[in-house]
Amino acid sequence: MRRTVLTLTLLTAPIAAQQPKPPVTSATPASPPAGWTIRLDAKDSSKSASDTRFVTMGSGYHVTSGPAALYYNPQDVATGSYTVRATFGQRKAPAMGHPEAYGVFIGGAELVDNGKQQYMYLVVRGDGMFYVAHRGGVEVHPIVPWQAHDVVKKQNEAGAAANEVAIQVTADSVHMLVNGQRVKSFDKKDMHGFNTDGQYGLRVNHGLDVHVGNFGVQK
């Protein structure tokens, strides 16, 4: 199913497109939890997911990431009005030496095809900033460029931080929430064809060590 590229009022110029590459979904030495897929970004799809460790831990999950990727179970599909949320406990400073992002995505479609994939995501990072974007094919369309917000908890001297990230879809709006407070809202009529029904899941960028709890959807 093809979808119209999201063009919100705040949409900025797309990041330069790259040639589609086959997805990489394997992960060693630890295989992902049953039913889950690790989907590397198109620009990293020539790399291996072997640097990534994604496992069940307690009542949640733990991600030690290599390249930036989506993490999702194909059975996790939301329609209508719903809220997708997860709490992220960053255990230490990112391996890349600078802040890296984590969060949730919604409206996922054709995620196994770099040229056709569609999803919208909200992520935060340890310098107290958040970001909202839409990915259509191999292009990323920033909707809210990186900006600081008081509700986003910054990492401490040890590099640790904890944030709840959520996207709430209602009959006429989409709300971005961090730690229970709205940081941005959109009117669906300004989304020009983006369908919020679809796959939901997690997004974790490069070189992070994070615990994920309370992940799921609430109708």
Side-chain angles (χ1 to χ4, degrees):
M1 174 175 62
R2 295 296 297 251
R3 298 196 180 180
T4 305
V5 172
L6 180 64
T7 53
L8 295 180
T9 304
L10 299 176
L11 193 65
T12 61
I15 293 174
Q18 301 183 36
Q19 292 300 315
K21 297 178 181 179
V24 178
T25 57
S26 61
T28 57
S31 295
W36 282 75
T37 293
I38 301 173
R39 177 71 163 78
L40 301 188
D41 284 355
K43 63 184 178 63
D44 290 325
S45 60
S46 61
K47 300 178 182 179
S48 170
S50 62
D51 292 334
T52 295
R53 181 179 174 85
F54 175 43
V55 297
T56 300
M57 184 176 290
S59 60
Y61 305 97
H62 200 90
V63 178
T64 307
S65 64
L70 299 182
Y71 299 74
Y72 63 92
N73 186 324
Q75 295 184 353
D76 290 339
V77 174
T79 61
S81 297
Y82 62 87
T83 301
V84 172
R85 63 166 43 89
T87 56
F88 295 85
Q90 181 178 308
R91 298 305 194 217
K92 57 185 179 181
M96 307 301 290
H98 54 76
E100 288 288 347
Y102 48 84
V104 297
F105 74 90
I106 64 165
E110 303 198 61
L111 297 180
V112 297
D113 188 327
N114 283 326
K116 297 180 180 179
Q117 64 181 333
Q118 298 276 343
Y119 62 92
M120 181 180 187
Y121 59 103
L122 165 65
V123 290
V124 301
R125 64 188 190 192
D127 58 356
M129 303 186 86
F130 78 98
Y131 175 80
V132 180
H134 164 259
R135 188 181 292 267
V138 294
E139 293 184 351
V140 177
H141 307 99
I143 301 167
V144 181
W146 283 109
Q147 62 180 251
H149 200 293
D150 291 344
V151 303
V152 183
K153 296 178 183 177
K154 297 182 180 180
Q155 63 190 50
N156 61 22
E157 292 182 358
N163 286 286
E164 182 190 69
V165 182
I167 301 178
Q168 180 184 39
V169 179
T170 68
D172 56 10
S173 304
V174 179
H175 306 290
M176 305 291 155
L177 302 97
V178 179
N179 296 317
Q181 298 189 46
R182 292 180 183 176
V183 295
K184 204 70 179 181
S185 294
F186 306 107
D187 194 315
K188 280 186 174 180
K189 69 182 181 183
D190 295 327
M191 298 176 70
H192 299 294
F194 178 74
N195 188 354
T196 54
D197 292 349
Q199 179 75 55
Y200 65 88
L202 310 169
R203 180 171 176 84
V204 180
N205 281 8
H206 308 264
L208 281 164
D209 186 344
V210 293
H211 185 79
V212 182
N214 302 317
F215 169 67
V217 66
Q218 179 180 356
K219 299 293 290 184

